[in-house]
Amino acid sequence: VAIGNGDYLVSEWGGRIYYVKKNGHKTLLLDTSKERVNSADITYIASEKMLLVPAMLSNKLMAYTLEDKESNL
């Protein structure tokens, strides 16, 4: 999901979500693979800096607020 500054939030089915900078550097933000919480298609609400993560097999919707540690969010 593009977040509007050239960077992306990327999910993988196994339960990991990465922050990928436009230069290609990636940082793991969330890993729910041990809990076997698989992430479906994610959504980012820029005005709230909120990441929505549907966990299809768990029948849940999780919401996370991203912090602006490096002034890129």
Side-chain angles (χ1 to χ4, degrees):
V1 172
I3 63 169
N5 62 356
D7 297 347
Y8 290 84
L9 295 168
V10 178
S11 67
E12 65 176 48
W13 173 249
R16 292 177 188 90
I17 297 176
Y18 296 91
Y19 185 97
V20 182
K21 292 187 176 187
K22 58 185 167 187
N23 67 6
H25 176 71
K26 68 179 181 178
T27 302
L28 180 65
L29 294 181
L30 180 66
D31 185 353
T32 58
S33 60
K34 288 182 183 178
E35 296 85 7
R36 296 185 181 195
V37 177
N38 301 87
S39 54
D41 295 335
I42 59 175
T43 299
Y44 181 66
I45 304 170
S47 62
E48 302 294 325
K49 295 185 181 176
M50 184 176 293
L51 175 65
L52 301 177
V53 182
M56 294 194 47
L57 300 179
S58 301
N59 205 24
K60 296 179 184 179
L61 177 64
M62 299 170 287
Y64 300 93
T65 302
L66 301 182
E67 294 181 12
D68 190 0
K69 290 187 176 184
E70 296 181 13
S71 299
N72 17 337
L73 295 179

